[in-house]
């Protein structure tokens, strides 16, 4: 197999952001800085990172990959005080691997020659290659294939007998520096927020919980009306001295179902361990919104969850017809879990 003729010189960057505090707004601002260097930016919000295709930007900026990455890191630090770790190389998989081994405040750049690619890849364990999970690595190890160099030295036909045709070809190409997956530009994931400001500093924890459940109900109704589901919730409390506490939790399954959102929101608030805290405002944000048709619901052995969904649909229809106050507080829903 000729692995050199299919290679096209590219410069792909995987950059991870390491802020002191994570907010959706800040993530969007950091992506804007990256977009100022290259217009081909693919957000990866789950781990606060992004891919960027620097291939065309190199000529525009008149710099090599290492120099352009240094400019980007400096801009992120100067504009937002955020350190990052960056990995760059001729393919997505190499860029991802380079980023994985790079500590915050540093960068690893792999050149695009066959020698530089081999020097970077060969000594690493097979499990370090994107697409090689723990079970696949174990299957390879049974045949004495434990490093990426071992995969590169194994005939494709042998790999196909071990891994199957598709997985073997993918691994074989990536260990030889071939990965044609493009960087797909995308918008910053949307978010939706609701908040309440008390007329005075509020110390009552029961009122804190009641307020939070009201915000959950508002967000849930807005999500369902807009045909969207949330992948995470962020709770922000502002205190009498204007300091803030922010906590984020990813949902087990993306949803707009009020009881599921309420269960996560309660855990966020309870996890703060507030003791007579003087709270001024409570804000709740649904993050990383997706179309509702992407919802995946687990099958259950009873109809309780289905009844809650039907009740929720009925309350939404009543609110749309008579106004939001008709449905009462979110506390009326049975406590999830």
């Amino acid at each position: 197999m000729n692995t050199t003729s299919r290679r096209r010189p590219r410069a792909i960057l995987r950059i991870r952001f390491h802020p002191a505090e994570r907010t959706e707004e800040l993530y969007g601002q950091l992506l804007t800085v990256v977009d100022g260097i290259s217009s081909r930016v693919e957000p990866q919000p789950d781990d606060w990172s992004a891919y960027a295709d620097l291939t065309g930007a190199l000529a525009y900026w008149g710099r090599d990959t290492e120099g352009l990455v240094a400019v980007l890191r400096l801009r992120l630090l100067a504009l937002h005080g955020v350190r990052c770790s960056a990995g760059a190389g001729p393919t997505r998989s190499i860029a991802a691997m380079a980023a994985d081994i790079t500590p915050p405040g540093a960068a690893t750049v792999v050149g695009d020659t066959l020698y530089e690619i081999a020097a970077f890849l060969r000594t690493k364990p097979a499990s370090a290659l994107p697409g090689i999970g723990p079970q696949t690595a174990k299957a390879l190890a049974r045949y004495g294939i434990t490093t990426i160099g071992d995969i590169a030295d194994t005939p494709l036909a042998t790999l196909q007998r071990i891994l199957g045709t598709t997985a073997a070809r993918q691994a074989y190409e990536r260990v030889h520096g071939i990965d044609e997956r493009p960087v797909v530009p995308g918008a910053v994931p949307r978010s939706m927020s609701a908040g309440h400001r008390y007329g005075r500093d509020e110390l009552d924890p029961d009122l804190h919980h009641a307020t939070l459940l009201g915000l959950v109900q508002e967000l849930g109704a807005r999500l369902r009306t807009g045909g969207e589901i949330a992948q995470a919730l962020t709770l922000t409390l502002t205190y009498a001295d204007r300091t803030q506490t922010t906590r984020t939790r990813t949902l087990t399954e993306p949803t707009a179902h009020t009881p599921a959102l309420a269960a996560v929101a309660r855990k966020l608030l309870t996890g703060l361990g507030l003791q007579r805290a003087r709270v001024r405002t409570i804000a709740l944000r649904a993050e990383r919104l997706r179309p509702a048709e992407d919802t995946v619901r687990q099958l259950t052995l009873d109809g309780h969850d289905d009844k809650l969904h039907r009740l929720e649909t009925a309350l939404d229809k009543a609110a749309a017809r008579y106004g939001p106050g008709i449905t009462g507080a979110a506390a009326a829903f049975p406590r999830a879990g």
Side-chain angles (χ1 to χ4, degrees):
M1 178 179 177
N2 186 348
T3 61
T4 61
S5 61
R6 294 174 59 189
R7 291 183 61 250
R8 296 179 297 176
R10 294 190 299 167
I12 307 300
L13 169 70
R14 177 71 180 269
I15 187 164
R16 287 197 173 95
F17 310 114
H18 304 281
E21 188 172 297
R22 295 184 174 188
T23 67
E24 195 82 6
E25 180 181 7
L26 176 59
Y27 182 67
Q29 292 171 345
L30 298 177
L31 288 182
T32 299
V33 176
V34 181
D35 188 67
I37 294 293
S38 169
S39 61
R40 301 191 65 81
V41 179
E42 182 180 326
Q44 300 284 310
D46 288 344
D47 64 352
W48 268 62
S49 70
Y51 283 100
D53 191 335
L54 304 180
T55 307
L58 297 177
Y60 177 83
W61 291 95
R63 296 176 181 269
D64 60 12
T65 304
E66 189 170 359
L68 193 54
V69 171
V71 169
L72 175 57
R73 292 172 50 228
L74 183 60
R75 284 191 176 190
L76 290 166
L77 188 61
L79 293 173
H80 299 287
V82 173
R83 294 196 306 162
C84 65
S85 53
T91 70
R92 281 181 67 117
S93 54
I94 291 176
M97 294 173 65
D100 286 343
I101 63 171
T102 304
T108 300
V109 178
V110 181
D112 64 358
T113 68
L114 292 177
Y115 174 80
E116 290 170 305
I117 292 171
F120 175 75
L121 291 176
R122 287 189 65 87
T123 59
K124 291 180 172 50
S127 58
L129 187 71
I132 300 293
Q135 295 304 318
T136 303
K138 288 181 181 179
L140 291 170
R142 286 196 289 268
Y143 293 87
I145 303 171
T146 59
T147 68
I148 292 178
D150 292 335
I151 298 176
D153 294 337
T154 302
L156 177 58
T158 302
L159 288 176
Q160 289 175 335
R161 286 194 294 272
I162 300 172
L163 304 178
T165 302
T166 302
R169 183 169 294 278
Q170 174 182 281
Y172 191 81
E173 290 183 346
R174 290 181 182 177
V175 299
H176 288 96
I178 300 172
D179 182 357
E180 299 296 336
R181 291 176 299 162
V183 172
V184 182
V188 180
R190 292 187 61 253
S191 64
M192 182 183 294
S193 61
H196 178 81
R197 181 180 179 87
Y198 295 110
R200 58 182 176 80
D201 300 335
E202 185 54 62
L203 288 80
D204 185 355
D206 290 335
L207 186 55
H208 298 160
H209 278 270
T211 299
L212 180 62
L213 290 176
L215 298 179
V216 168
Q217 184 187 36
E218 177 184 342
L219 280 180
R222 288 167 58 192
L223 286 168
R224 294 188 296 274
T225 300
E228 295 179 298
I229 53 177
Q231 298 183 76
L233 287 180
T234 293
L235 173 66
T236 300
L237 267 61
T238 304
Y239 306 104
D241 60 0
R242 297 185 179 181
T243 60
Q244 290 186 331
T245 300
T246 299
R247 294 290 185 272
T248 298
R249 179 171 295 212
T250 300
L251 301 170
T252 303
E253 298 174 359
T255 186
H257 188 32
T258 295
L261 296 173
V264 174
R266 287 193 190 97
K267 289 178 181 178
L268 285 169
L269 183 57
T270 303
L272 295 179
L274 301 180
Q275 299 292 332
R276 301 288 293 174
R278 299 168 61 195
V279 177
R280 179 67 57 85
T281 63
I282 296 179
L284 187 67
R285 186 169 62 250
E287 299 188 338
R288 306 206 303 272
L289 305 188
R290 293 164 45 186
E293 54 263 28
D294 292 346
T295 303
V296 176
R297 288 179 54 195
Q298 297 290 342
L299 296 176
T300 57
L301 297 179
D302 59 51
H304 180 67
D305 192 53
D306 287 333
K307 290 179 181 179
L308 290 181
H309 277 276
R310 289 196 296 270
L311 171 61
E312 194 169 59
T313 300
L315 292 177
D316 287 344
K317 290 180 179 178
R321 182 171 182 178
Y322 301 108
I326 195 70
T327 60
F333 281 100
R335 294 199 171 213

